[in-house]
Amino acid sequence: MYGNLDALVLALSQLTQPISLALLIGGIVVGLVIGILPGLGPPIAIALALPFTFYLEPVPSMILLLGIYSAAIYGGSISAIAVGIPGTGAAIATVQDGHKMFKSGRGGEALGFSLTGSIIGGLVSALCLALVSPMLAELAIKFGPREYLAISVFGLLVVVRVAGQSLPKGLLAGALGIFLTTWGLDELNGTERYTFGSYHMYEGLPLVPFLVGLFAMSEVLIGAERALQKIDFSKESLSVKLPGLKTLGKMKDVILRSSLIGTIIGIIPGEGAAVGAFFAYSEAKRRSKHPEKFGTGIPEGIVAPETANNATVGGALVPTLTLGVPGSPAAAVLLGALLIQGLSPGPKLFTERPDLMYSIFIGLFVINILMVFIGLVAIRFAARLIMVPTSVIVPTVMLLCFVGIYSVSNSFFNVGVLLAAGILGYVIRKLGYSIAPLSIGFVLGPILENSLRQSLTIADGSVTEFFNTPIGLVIYAMLILTILWRPLMEWFKRAKTN
Amino acid sequence: MKNLKTLAIAMMAALGLVAETALAEYPDKPITLVVSFAAGGNADIVARLNAEALSKELGVPVNVMNKPGGAHIPATMSVLDKPADGYTLFNWSPPSFMIVPLTRDVPYKPLEDFTPLFAGISASNALYVSADSPYKTFEEFIEGAKSKKLTIGVNNLGAPPNLSAVQLASEFGLEFKTLALKTVPKTMAGLLGGQVDVAVGQVASIHKYGDKVRPLIILDNNRQDFFESDLPGVRTVGEAVPGKQAAVWVHGGLAVKAGTPQPIVDKLLEASKVLGTPEFRAKVPKSVSYNWIHGTEAVTKNIQFGIDLYSPILDGLGLLKK
């Protein structure tokens, strides 16, 4: 494929060295813990391990970092399900159904679904990476400003439609999220916007403290209100169950579709695991025979986002390895690790180091399989969290948020943002708005703004040039279809019966 | 009386000795190296390699802390908020020491508030087209750009690649549509994806993209020794069209807060000598150029050269702070 049998043998011999295996397991454990903790996400997890790779060969370094990356994305779902607080941005979409299922006494089952989905998503995307990454790289470079604009508009509207109860409220929350991203320095011409005269605001509202505040702090505040309520649970809910083949067979469409959505979103530089998870969730809901059940605690609502977010890992590696353009913030740190090793990720890497490429492909497979066992141990503990009273969980989570945010940035300003975002999230939820559209607006806002302004530069005043983007037009068409699908189907049904 | 005098001298000597040992003990705790870029980019990687090598020399950990965003100001200020004791190092770069202070009000003056130690990471810009572009030579490109408004890719508005493009446009009387694609790799990818007709990358970018791109010209008349190893046979603007100007100033290195005791500065200067050795250079990735300048005075002079170079170009763009 990319080299010869020698390269494959070399890759296998490097992977089976004791140090590689030890790093594999160590990486997964570290990633899992960091993923579970709110505020610490995959990019931070990888950056923390980066100094260790100075002393390692390229193959063990990549294995360590990939283990951390995969496990951190999966780990976020454990806190999302067991505490109702996403450990990472990737798990935001998992909270709705995951935590509802947990509270209704099906915690062990919910955790099993997220583990299984994550593993399958990771495996499918690793397969895509191994088999068709040069082709996928072609897709990645086709994404210019106009294509980004189309996918951002698509993402925003799709998420707004699925996340809230009412469309106007969802749109308002999404718009608020976008508005808040305009704070800080204008990225293109440096104009100061809403900086309130403080250079701390030049960076704008920092993403991680804002999202952790919005989800974790607001959940903590709401949880504090019901501190005295007792959750009834049965002993059986504590035992972790992985879904059987029959259950998975019923969900095979959701799983396959979510894997592909995650892989593709991962490939597009700048769109990370959170967006992939939301897309998959909304697609699963749209295609479902019972879309109204989404959000009430059903397995599909966990499997779709969890499969997709782990599928973004393999996807994000495609542009990282083949173009030298990171597919996600975590992949950017991974790229740095390769550069430190004296390698130049880009179109030449495949021919220069086929053994490294094989090691990454095979390594990703092994990581996902080992994650089943390590994940099972972790969720056995997580399932028991339901026995811990809210009065213990609330202050613990609060403390973890503060420590997490402060330790990552060493900045009290960011802790202030965490608190302010928490209060904002609390007020918004109390007013009956959903915070998911707000968060997706906040994630996509900068991409939306930049791509719109760059598209206008390219178009140079011409409307036809603005829409002269085949990929973009396909995305816009899909968006229109997504919105009109149900009304159209109903119209057809009525026409038939008449 | 004589005894008292001796005692006083002895006491002063003792105090002096105490002060001496306090300094001699530096460093006795971990050092933080603040990097104003996100983890993973060229600047971050070289900073991490610097940290590792310095840590070996100084015998204490040197921890890299990334503080990206906010026009590099929060990172810069976080160093100035700490005492001038040599335990907080700053990874200075063109934006923090040059472009940002030249274009907006900042709460610091780079050459007054910092003592630079050395410059290592460097870059020179080059003009690239994709391998299947109709423009085979720089001359053909100039012809093409005169007949049609081409789209040029740069990383950020006001950053050195953009300033190179502006200089090229003004020297040859060209007009471009400028697309800021955020990073140099994304700019080069924009070339492969067809979003831009021509891109300003770095001389060393060729190592990532090989035969997928074609270098047209080096946008720096000050020929460096790495030009020939990165882009053999490629001319500079002045070599292609004598009399036309092209200049780049991209340097970066480490600095401490001004007012750091001289013995500590000296110790850091001594320890950082290792970063100019061929052994260290061999560790720096191929896609990063390295141009070693050591010592506060030499680096300050170099930074002043950059300020004098970029002020008129930024003024022409209407960006220079008045």
Side-chain angles (χ1 to χ4, degrees), chain B residues 21-31 54-55 57-62 85-87 264 267-268 271:
Chain B
T21 46
L23 289 175
E25 273 166 16
Y26 171 87
D28 61 357
K29 60 176 183 181
I31 296 171
L54 282 179
S55 165
E57 291 294 310
L58 294 168
V60 291
V62 179
D85 57 4
Y87 286 103
I264 291 179
K267 190 143 192 183
L268 284 167

Side-chain angles (χ1 to χ4, degrees), chain B residues 130-153:
Chain B
S130 79
D132 53 14
S133 160
Y135 310 118
K136 304 270 184 255
T137 62
F138 179 62
E139 285 75 9
E140 282 178 29
F141 158 77
I142 293 290
E143 279 308 303
K146 277 186 176 155
S147 62
K148 188 177 154 222
K149 199 168 165 188
L150 298 178
T151 306
I152 193 164

Side-chain angles (χ1 to χ4, degrees), chain A residues 79-101:
Chain A
S79 25
I81 293 171
V83 198
I85 291 169
T88 64
I92 292 174
T94 313
V95 174
Q96 301 197 54
D97 284 278
H99 193 50
K100 287 234 170 71
M101 224 171 139

Side-chain angles (χ1 to χ4, degrees), chain A residues 401-455:
Chain A
C401 289
F402 280 122
V403 171
I405 294 301
Y406 184 76
S407 65
V408 167
S409 58
N410 287 285
S411 149
F412 279 114
F413 174 74
N414 285 5
V415 176
V417 171
L418 171 81
L419 269 173
I423 293 164
L424 176 75
Y426 175 76
V427 171
I428 278 185
R429 287 167 75 170
K430 279 277 153 186
L431 291 174
Y433 289 79
S434 166
I435 50 179
L438 178 67
S439 73
I440 203 77
F442 198 79
V443 170
L444 288 176
I447 305 173
L448 193 71
E449 187 199 335
N450 273 334
S451 58
L452 173 64
R453 291 170 64 184
Q454 289 172 344
S455 302

Side-chain angles (χ1 to χ4, degrees), chain A residues 38-41 43-44 205-214 405 408 418 442:
Chain A
L40 303 174
I44 293 148
L205 294 169
L207 180 75
V208 173
F210 184 83
L211 289 185
V212 172
L214 199 61
I405 294 301
V408 167
L418 171 81
F442 198 79

Side-chain angles (χ1 to χ4, degrees), chain A residues 47-343:
Chain A
L48 283 176
L50 200 55
F52 296 101
T53 65
F54 287 178
Y55 307 99
L56 298 171
E57 292 289 307
V59 169
S61 319
M62 288 317 283
I63 292 304
L64 171 68
L65 300 183
L66 287 173
I68 294 178
Y69 187 6
S70 302
I73 287 195
Y74 161 63
S77 76
I78 298 179
S79 25
I81 293 171
V83 198
I85 291 169
T88 64
I92 292 174
T94 313
V95 174
Q96 301 197 54
D97 284 278
H99 193 50
K100 287 234 170 71
M101 224 171 139
F102 190 85
K103 281 200 294 195
S104 66
R106 296 167 71 195
E109 210 184 327
L111 289 162
F113 274 116
S114 97
L115 179 60
T116 314
S118 297
I119 303 297
I120 298 176
L123 287 174
V124 172
S125 80
L127 200 67
C128 292
L129 175 71
L131 297 180
V132 284
S133 56
M135 268 160 58
L136 294 175
E138 289 293 313
L139 175 73
I141 59 168
K142 288 287 181 299
F143 264 79
R146 287 169 292 189
E147 291 77 18
Y148 275 116
L149 180 65
I151 196 98
S152 309
V153 170
F154 182 87
L156 259 169
L157 292 182
V158 160
V159 169
V160 164
R161 277 168 54 83
V162 296
Q165 297 84 350
S166 101
L167 190 60
K169 278 186 170 183
L171 281 172
L172 262 175
L176 177 63
I178 298 173
F179 168 68
L180 290 174
T181 62
T182 63
W183 292 21
L185 287 187
D186 179 328
E187 283 200 49
L188 288 179
N189 62 23
T191 309
E192 291 176 26
R193 305 187 293 203
Y194 304 100
T195 55
F196 305 101
S198 159
Y199 67 81
H200 286 293
M201 276 304 299
Y202 277 8
E203 199 189 339
L205 294 169
L207 180 75
V208 173
F210 184 83
L211 289 185
V212 172
L214 199 61
F215 283 92
M217 294 302 281
S218 73
E219 181 69 28
V220 160
L221 291 172
I222 283 175
E225 284 182 353
R226 340 174 260 245
L228 296 174
Q229 284 178 17
K230 257 194 145 180
I231 298 169
D232 292 320
F233 62 94
S234 62
K235 270 261 157 74
E236 296 129 60
S237 76
L238 295 180
S239 66
V240 171
K241 304 193 252 292
L242 289 183
L245 281 178
K246 212 174 142 197
T247 323
L248 288 178
K250 270 190 221 151
M251 279 198 253
K252 66 175 189 301
D253 290 347
V254 173
I255 291 172
L256 191 67
R257 219 177 299 120
S258 304
S259 302
L260 295 179
I261 290 173
T263 308
I264 289 171
I265 295 295
I267 292 168
I268 303 169
E271 310 268 2
V275 179
F278 266 121
F279 272 34
Y281 185 88
S282 69
E283 188 60 17
K285 183 175 174 182
R286 189 177 71 80
R287 295 249 181 171
S288 169
K289 286 196 191 83
H290 42 79
E292 69 288 347
K293 284 193 186 157
F294 275 77
T296 60
I298 58 166
E300 286 91 336
I302 300 170
V303 168
E306 278 309 309
T307 307
N309 66 23
N310 269 79
T312 60
V313 174
L317 289 177
V318 170
T320 312
L321 296 174
T322 58
L323 297 171
V325 175
S328 68
V333 190
L334 218 76
L335 185 85
L338 284 168
L339 286 170
I340 285 175
Q341 297 285 348
L343 299 163

Side-chain angles (χ1 to χ4, degrees), chain B residues 45-322:
Chain B
I45 288 153
V46 174
R48 283 171 192 272
L49 292 170
N50 283 340
E52 187 214 5
L54 282 179
S55 165
K56 252 182 214 158
E57 291 294 310
L58 294 168
V60 291
V62 179
N63 302 316
V64 170
M65 191 203 293
N66 299 94
K67 274 183 171 280
H72 302 257
I73 300 170
T76 314
M77 290 312 291
S78 77
V79 177
L80 296 179
D81 287 343
K82 295 272 157 54
D85 57 4
Y87 286 103
T88 312
L89 308 178
F90 182 53
N91 183 79
W92 63 269
S93 56
S96 59
F97 264 31
M98 171 95 44
I99 314 278
V100 174
L102 284 178
T103 52
R104 60 178 60 249
D105 281 317
V106 291
Y108 64 92
K109 291 198 173 76
L111 291 180
E112 287 174 27
D113 294 336
F114 286 95
T115 305
L117 302 172
F118 66 85
I121 183 172
S122 177
S124 285
N125 297 332
L127 200 64
Y128 290 94
V129 289
S130 79
D132 53 14
S133 160
Y135 310 118
K136 304 270 184 255
T137 62
F138 179 62
E139 285 75 9
E140 282 178 29
F141 158 77
I142 293 290
E143 279 308 303
K146 277 186 176 155
S147 62
K148 188 177 154 222
K149 199 168 165 188
L150 298 178
T151 306
I152 193 164
V154 298
N155 58 348
N156 283 306
L157 297 187
N162 179 218
L163 300 181
S164 279
V166 170
Q167 200 181 25
L168 179 76
S170 80
E171 286 288 304
F172 289 88
L174 309 173
E175 232 188 296
F176 295 114
K177 284 192 270 182
T178 305
L179 211 53
L181 294 168
K182 307 305 295 172
T183 64
V184 174
K186 278 190 184 165
T187 315
M188 298 298 284
L191 210 52
L192 305 185
Q195 285 101 31
V196 295
D197 300 309
V198 52
V200 182
Q202 295 175 339
V203 167
S205 302
I206 191 75
H207 296 297
K208 275 189 182 178
Y209 301 95
D211 54 6
K212 301 252 182 196
V213 295
R214 182 186 309 131
L216 291 179
I217 199 91
I218 295 170
L219 298 167
D220 189 354
N221 283 352
N222 179 21
R223 196 160 256 289
Q224 306 283 340
D225 51 2
F226 55 79
F227 288 5
E228 215 37 42
S229 58
D230 291 340
L231 293 177
V234 177
R235 300 163 297 169
T236 65
V237 171
E239 288 162 4
V241 188
K244 295 291 184 193
Q245 295 304 310
V248 185
W249 186 93
V250 180
H251 292 278
L254 296 191
V256 288
K257 187 177 173 180
T260 303
Q262 196 55 41
I264 291 179
V265 173
D266 289 340
K267 190 143 192 183
L268 284 167
L269 280 171
E270 187 58 35
S272 60
K273 274 185 184 158
V274 66
L275 306 175
T277 58
E279 292 76 37
F280 181 78
R281 279 185 191 214
K283 284 191 201 166
V284 176
K286 254 197 305 190
S287 51
V288 178
S289 304
Y290 205 74
N291 195 344
W292 181 245
I293 305 165
H294 193 244
T296 304
E297 207 177 311
V299 178
T300 306
K301 221 171 105 187
N302 182 268
I303 294 171
Q304 190 57 50
F305 171 82
I307 293 175
D308 297 340
L309 171 71
Y310 280 158
S311 298
I313 305 179
L314 287 166
D315 199 20
L317 276 171
L319 289 174
L320 193 70
K321 180 186 71 186
K322 295 282 158 87

